PDB file of all heavy atoms in Angstrom:
ATOM      1  N   TYR A 106      -5.506 -20.808  84.466  1.00 98.00           N
ATOM      2  CA  TYR A 106      -6.549 -21.475  83.627  1.00 98.00           C
ATOM      3  C   TYR A 106      -6.391 -20.990  82.204  1.00 98.00           C
ATOM      4  O   TYR A 106      -6.115 -19.827  81.976  1.00 98.00           O
ATOM      5  CB  TYR A 106      -7.873 -21.162  84.090  1.00 98.00           C
ATOM      6  CG  TYR A 106      -8.186 -21.708  85.533  1.00 98.00           C
ATOM      7  CD1 TYR A 106      -9.430 -21.298  86.167  1.00 98.00           C
ATOM      8  CD2 TYR A 106      -7.421 -22.594  86.252  1.00 98.00           C
ATOM      9  CE1 TYR A 106      -9.694 -21.669  87.388  1.00 98.00           C
ATOM     10  CE2 TYR A 106      -7.776 -23.062  87.482  1.00 98.00           C
ATOM     11  CZ  TYR A 106      -8.911 -22.659  88.066  1.00 98.00           C
ATOM     12  OH  TYR A 106      -9.154 -23.076  89.343  1.00 98.00           O
ATOM     13  N   THR A 107      -6.576 -21.947  81.299  1.00 98.00           N
ATOM     14  CA  THR A 107      -6.687 -21.532  79.914  1.00 98.00           C
ATOM     15  C   THR A 107      -8.181 -21.249  79.580  1.00 98.00           C
ATOM     16  O   THR A 107      -8.935 -22.176  79.726  1.00 98.00           O
ATOM     17  CB  THR A 107      -6.130 -22.613  78.920  1.00 98.00           C
ATOM     18  OG1 THR A 107      -4.738 -22.856  79.272  1.00 98.00           O
ATOM     19  CG2 THR A 107      -6.393 -22.306  77.516  1.00 98.00           C
ATOM     20  N   ASN A 108      -8.495 -20.053  79.280  1.00 98.00           N
ATOM     21  CA  ASN A 108      -9.889 -19.647  79.050  1.00 98.00           C
ATOM     22  C   ASN A 108     -10.105 -19.237  77.616  1.00 98.00           C
ATOM     23  O   ASN A 108      -9.108 -18.911  76.854  1.00 98.00           O
ATOM     24  CB  ASN A 108     -10.218 -18.475  80.002  1.00 98.00           C
ATOM     25  CG  ASN A 108     -10.084 -18.764  81.452  1.00 98.00           C
ATOM     26  OD1 ASN A 108     -10.203 -19.918  81.863  1.00 98.00           O
ATOM     27  ND2 ASN A 108      -9.775 -17.778  82.360  1.00 98.00           N
ATOM     28  N   THR A 109     -11.370 -19.115  77.244  1.00 98.00           N
ATOM     29  CA  THR A 109     -11.697 -18.754  75.843  1.00 98.00           C
ATOM     30  C   THR A 109     -12.903 -17.935  75.815  1.00 98.00           C
ATOM     31  O   THR A 109     -13.807 -17.931  76.743  1.00 98.00           O
ATOM     32  CB  THR A 109     -11.852 -19.925  74.906  1.00 98.00           C
ATOM     33  OG1 THR A 109     -12.013 -19.602  73.541  1.00 98.00           O
ATOM     34  CG2 THR A 109     -13.050 -20.849  75.276  1.00 98.00           C
ATOM     35  N   LEU A 110     -13.100 -17.137  74.662  1.00 98.00           N
ATOM     36  CA  LEU A 110     -14.411 -16.425  74.379  1.00 98.00           C
ATOM     37  C   LEU A 110     -14.369 -16.271  72.845  1.00 98.00           C
ATOM     38  O   LEU A 110     -13.265 -16.346  72.221  1.00 98.00           O
ATOM     39  CB  LEU A 110     -14.459 -15.121  75.094  1.00 98.00           C
ATOM     40  CG  LEU A 110     -13.482 -14.059  74.921  1.00 98.00           C
ATOM     41  CD1 LEU A 110     -13.975 -12.669  75.407  1.00 98.00           C
ATOM     42  CD2 LEU A 110     -12.100 -14.301  75.762  1.00 98.00           C
ATOM     43  N   GLN A 111     -15.498 -15.953  72.282  1.00 98.00           N
ATOM     44  CA  GLN A 111     -15.638 -15.946  70.812  1.00 98.00           C
ATOM     45  C   GLN A 111     -16.452 -14.732  70.348  1.00 98.00           C
ATOM     46  O   GLN A 111     -17.204 -14.220  71.168  1.00 98.00           O
ATOM     47  CB  GLN A 111     -16.315 -17.227  70.287  1.00 98.00           C
ATOM     48  CG  GLN A 111     -15.582 -18.503  70.554  1.00 98.00           C
ATOM     49  CD  GLN A 111     -15.887 -19.090  71.937  1.00 98.00           C
ATOM     50  OE1 GLN A 111     -16.947 -18.951  72.428  1.00 98.00           O
ATOM     51  NE2 GLN A 111     -14.809 -19.712  72.541  1.00 98.00           N
ATOM     52  N   SER A 112     -16.326 -14.448  69.092  1.00 98.00           N
ATOM     53  CA  SER A 112     -17.069 -13.348  68.473  1.00 98.00           C
ATOM     54  C   SER A 112     -17.188 -13.655  66.937  1.00 98.00           C
ATOM     55  O   SER A 112     -16.277 -14.060  66.318  1.00 98.00           O
ATOM     56  CB  SER A 112     -16.394 -12.052  68.713  1.00 98.00           C
ATOM     57  OG  SER A 112     -17.012 -10.906  67.997  1.00 98.00           O
ATOM     58  N   ALA A 113     -18.410 -13.294  66.444  1.00 98.00           N
ATOM     59  CA  ALA A 113     -18.513 -13.310  64.927  1.00 98.00           C
ATOM     60  C   ALA A 113     -18.083 -12.032  64.274  1.00 98.00           C
ATOM     61  O   ALA A 113     -17.534 -12.197  63.214  1.00 98.00           O
ATOM     62  CB  ALA A 113     -20.038 -13.594  64.657  1.00 98.00           C
ATOM     63  N   ASP A 114     -18.250 -11.016  64.944  1.00 97.00           N
ATOM     64  CA  ASP A 114     -17.897  -9.664  64.342  1.00 97.00           C
ATOM     65  C   ASP A 114     -16.475  -9.062  64.774  1.00 97.00           C
ATOM     66  O   ASP A 114     -16.055  -8.056  64.311  1.00 97.00           O
ATOM     67  CB  ASP A 114     -18.987  -8.638  64.466  1.00 97.00           C
ATOM     68  CG  ASP A 114     -19.282  -8.292  65.865  1.00 97.00           C
ATOM     69  OD1 ASP A 114     -18.494  -8.720  66.845  1.00 97.00           O
ATOM     70  OD2 ASP A 114     -20.213  -7.438  66.186  1.00 97.00           O
ATOM     71  N   GLY A 115     -15.884  -9.746  65.796  1.00 96.00           N
ATOM     72  CA  GLY A 115     -14.719  -9.248  66.293  1.00 96.00           C
ATOM     73  C   GLY A 115     -14.856  -8.102  67.339  1.00 96.00           C
ATOM     74  O   GLY A 115     -13.817  -7.559  67.795  1.00 96.00           O
ATOM     75  N   ILE A 116     -16.093  -7.770  67.611  1.00 96.00           N
ATOM     76  CA  ILE A 116     -16.332  -6.584  68.471  1.00 96.00           C
ATOM     77  C   ILE A 116     -17.125  -6.977  69.691  1.00 96.00           C
ATOM     78  O   ILE A 116     -16.752  -6.732  70.775  1.00 96.00           O
ATOM     79  CB  ILE A 116     -17.114  -5.506  67.677  1.00 96.00           C
ATOM     80  CG1 ILE A 116     -16.471  -5.113  66.455  1.00 96.00           C
ATOM     81  CG2 ILE A 116     -17.286  -4.290  68.697  1.00 96.00           C
ATOM     82  CD1 ILE A 116     -15.007  -4.491  66.617  1.00 96.00           C
ATOM     83  N   HIS A 117     -18.165  -7.828  69.455  1.00 96.00           N
ATOM     84  CA  HIS A 117     -18.939  -8.266  70.595  1.00 96.00           C
ATOM     85  C   HIS A 117     -18.668  -9.768  70.867  1.00 96.00           C
ATOM     86  O   HIS A 117     -18.796 -10.640  69.948  1.00 96.00           O
ATOM     87  CB  HIS A 117     -20.470  -8.119  70.153  1.00 96.00           C
ATOM     88  CG  HIS A 117     -20.871  -6.748  69.779  1.00 96.00           C
ATOM     89  ND1 HIS A 117     -20.823  -6.222  68.544  1.00 96.00           N
ATOM     90  CD2 HIS A 117     -21.167  -5.653  70.506  1.00 96.00           C
ATOM     91  CE1 HIS A 117     -21.105  -5.056  68.354  1.00 96.00           C
ATOM     92  NE2 HIS A 117     -21.442  -4.561  69.655  1.00 96.00           N
ATOM     93  N   PHE A 118     -18.315  -9.987  72.109  1.00 97.00           N
ATOM     94  CA  PHE A 118     -17.798 -11.290  72.514  1.00 97.00           C
ATOM     95  C   PHE A 118     -18.674 -12.048  73.458  1.00 97.00           C
ATOM     96  O   PHE A 118     -19.408 -11.503  74.157  1.00 97.00           O
ATOM     97  CB  PHE A 118     -16.388 -11.221  73.099  1.00 97.00           C
ATOM     98  CG  PHE A 118     -15.317 -10.967  72.048  1.00 97.00           C
ATOM     99  CD1 PHE A 118     -15.095  -9.633  71.674  1.00 97.00           C
ATOM    100  CD2 PHE A 118     -14.630 -11.998  71.516  1.00 97.00           C
ATOM    101  CE1 PHE A 118     -14.078  -9.460  70.646  1.00 97.00           C
ATOM    102  CE2 PHE A 118     -13.595 -11.801  70.619  1.00 97.00           C
ATOM    103  CZ  PHE A 118     -13.330 -10.586  70.184  1.00 97.00           C
ATOM    104  N   SER A 119     -18.595 -13.390  73.365  1.00 98.00           N
ATOM    105  CA  SER A 119     -19.379 -14.284  74.326  1.00 98.00           C
ATOM    106  C   SER A 119     -18.875 -14.178  75.731  1.00 98.00           C
ATOM    107  O   SER A 119     -17.848 -13.474  76.069  1.00 98.00           O
ATOM    108  CB  SER A 119     -19.326 -15.622  73.770  1.00 98.00           C
ATOM    109  OG  SER A 119     -17.894 -16.176  73.972  1.00 98.00           O
ATOM    110  N   ASP A 120     -19.489 -14.871  76.594  1.00 97.00           N
ATOM    111  CA  ASP A 120     -18.973 -15.052  77.977  1.00 97.00           C
ATOM    112  C   ASP A 120     -17.703 -15.805  77.934  1.00 97.00           C
ATOM    113  O   ASP A 120     -17.456 -16.609  77.096  1.00 97.00           O
ATOM    114  CB  ASP A 120     -20.023 -15.663  78.921  1.00 97.00           C
ATOM    115  CG  ASP A 120     -21.234 -14.771  79.102  1.00 97.00           C
ATOM    116  OD1 ASP A 120     -21.131 -13.493  78.981  1.00 97.00           O
ATOM    117  OD2 ASP A 120     -22.326 -15.287  79.423  1.00 97.00           O
ATOM    118  N   LYS A 121     -16.910 -15.629  79.058  1.00 98.00           N
ATOM    119  CA  LYS A 121     -15.693 -16.406  79.111  1.00 98.00           C
ATOM    120  C   LYS A 121     -15.948 -17.844  79.528  1.00 98.00           C
ATOM    121  O   LYS A 121     -17.023 -18.108  80.232  1.00 98.00           O
ATOM    122  CB  LYS A 121     -14.739 -15.797  80.251  1.00 98.00           C
ATOM    123  CG  LYS A 121     -14.493 -14.282  79.988  1.00 98.00           C
ATOM    124  CD  LYS A 121     -13.903 -13.727  81.236  1.00 98.00           C
ATOM    125  CE  LYS A 121     -13.665 -12.220  81.064  1.00 98.00           C
ATOM    126  NZ  LYS A 121     -13.147 -11.655  82.375  1.00 98.00           N
ATOM    127  N   LYS A 122     -15.086 -18.772  79.154  1.00 97.00           N
ATOM    128  CA  LYS A 122     -15.251 -20.189  79.514  1.00 97.00           C
ATOM    129  C   LYS A 122     -13.857 -20.757  79.734  1.00 97.00           C
ATOM    130  O   LYS A 122     -12.950 -20.497  79.091  1.00 97.00           O
ATOM    131  CB  LYS A 122     -15.928 -20.997  78.297  1.00 97.00           C
ATOM    132  CG  LYS A 122     -16.151 -22.420  78.491  1.00 97.00           C
ATOM    133  CD  LYS A 122     -16.912 -22.989  77.249  1.00 97.00           C
ATOM    134  CE  LYS A 122     -16.980 -24.469  77.390  1.00 97.00           C
ATOM    135  NZ  LYS A 122     -17.725 -25.084  76.214  1.00 97.00           N
ATOM    136  N   VAL A 123     -13.854 -21.646  80.694  1.00 98.00           N
ATOM    137  CA  VAL A 123     -12.573 -22.439  81.092  1.00 98.00           C
ATOM    138  C   VAL A 123     -12.471 -23.627  80.150  1.00 98.00           C
ATOM    139  O   VAL A 123     -13.399 -24.398  79.941  1.00 98.00           O
ATOM    140  CB  VAL A 123     -12.559 -22.896  82.499  1.00 98.00           C
ATOM    141  CG1 VAL A 123     -11.296 -23.651  82.830  1.00 98.00           C
ATOM    142  CG2 VAL A 123     -12.636 -21.702  83.535  1.00 98.00           C
ATOM    143  N   LEU A 124     -11.183 -23.810  79.608  1.00 98.00           N
ATOM    144  CA  LEU A 124     -10.921 -24.938  78.792  1.00 98.00           C
ATOM    145  C   LEU A 124      -9.974 -25.895  79.583  1.00 98.00           C
ATOM    146  O   LEU A 124     -10.192 -27.130  79.588  1.00 98.00           O
ATOM    147  CB  LEU A 124     -10.220 -24.608  77.501  1.00 98.00           C
ATOM    148  CG  LEU A 124     -11.016 -23.804  76.459  1.00 98.00           C
ATOM    149  CD1 LEU A 124     -10.128 -23.615  75.139  1.00 98.00           C
ATOM    150  CD2 LEU A 124     -12.237 -24.547  76.110  1.00 98.00           C
ATOM    151  N   LEU A 125      -9.013 -25.369  80.297  1.00 98.00           N
ATOM    152  CA  LEU A 125      -8.061 -26.207  81.090  1.00 98.00           C
ATOM    153  C   LEU A 125      -7.824 -25.543  82.394  1.00 98.00           C
ATOM    154  O   LEU A 125      -7.512 -24.369  82.454  1.00 98.00           O
ATOM    155  CB  LEU A 125      -6.738 -26.253  80.270  1.00 98.00           C
ATOM    156  CG  LEU A 125      -6.842 -26.960  78.852  1.00 98.00           C
ATOM    157  CD1 LEU A 125      -5.470 -26.752  78.207  1.00 98.00           C
ATOM    158  CD2 LEU A 125      -7.087 -28.529  78.984  1.00 98.00           C
ATOM    159  N   ARG A 126      -7.882 -26.332  83.473  1.00 98.00           N
ATOM    160  CA  ARG A 126      -7.492 -25.948  84.765  1.00 98.00           C
ATOM    161  C   ARG A 126      -6.105 -26.596  85.142  1.00 98.00           C
ATOM    162  O   ARG A 126      -5.673 -27.499  84.364  1.00 98.00           O
ATOM    163  CB  ARG A 126      -8.552 -26.319  85.781  1.00 98.00           C
ATOM    164  CG  ARG A 126      -9.958 -25.755  85.488  1.00 98.00           C
ATOM    165  CD  ARG A 126     -11.008 -26.254  86.471  1.00 98.00           C
ATOM    166  NE  ARG A 126     -12.370 -25.756  86.126  1.00 98.00           N
ATOM    167  CZ  ARG A 126     -12.907 -24.634  86.520  1.00 98.00           C
ATOM    168  NH1 ARG A 126     -12.231 -23.899  87.460  1.00 98.00           N
ATOM    169  NH2 ARG A 126     -14.089 -24.381  86.153  1.00 98.00           N
ATOM    170  N   ASN A 127      -5.617 -26.197  86.248  1.00 97.00           N
ATOM    171  CA  ASN A 127      -4.291 -26.724  86.680  1.00 97.00           C
ATOM    172  C   ASN A 127      -4.219 -28.205  86.660  1.00 97.00           C
ATOM    173  O   ASN A 127      -3.284 -28.841  86.232  1.00 97.00           O
ATOM    174  CB  ASN A 127      -3.891 -26.230  88.021  1.00 97.00           C
ATOM    175  CG  ASN A 127      -3.499 -24.797  88.117  1.00 97.00           C
ATOM    176  OD1 ASN A 127      -4.186 -23.976  87.416  1.00 97.00           O
ATOM    177  ND2 ASN A 127      -2.534 -24.407  88.865  1.00 97.00           N
ATOM    178  N   GLU A 128      -5.299 -28.913  87.075  1.00 97.00           N
ATOM    179  CA  GLU A 128      -5.307 -30.371  87.148  1.00 97.00           C
ATOM    180  C   GLU A 128      -5.344 -30.952  85.797  1.00 97.00           C
ATOM    181  O   GLU A 128      -5.260 -32.248  85.721  1.00 97.00           O
ATOM    182  CB  GLU A 128      -6.492 -30.768  88.085  1.00 97.00           C
ATOM    183  CG  GLU A 128      -7.826 -30.376  87.591  1.00 97.00           C
ATOM    184  CD  GLU A 128      -8.273 -29.101  88.245  1.00 97.00           C
ATOM    185  OE1 GLU A 128      -7.446 -28.251  88.671  1.00 97.00           O
ATOM    186  OE2 GLU A 128      -9.511 -28.820  88.384  1.00 97.00           O
TER     187      GLU A 128
END
Side-chain angles (χ1 to χ4, degrees):
Y106 296 171
T107 297
N108 301 334
T109 188
L110 59 163
Q111 298 84 36
S112 173
D114 61 7
I116 308 298
H117 305 91
F118 282 83
S119 67
D120 292 336
K121 307 166 185 173
K122 177 181 179 181
V123 179
L124 294 183
L125 298 169
R126 301 175 186 268
N127 287 41
E128 57 267 26

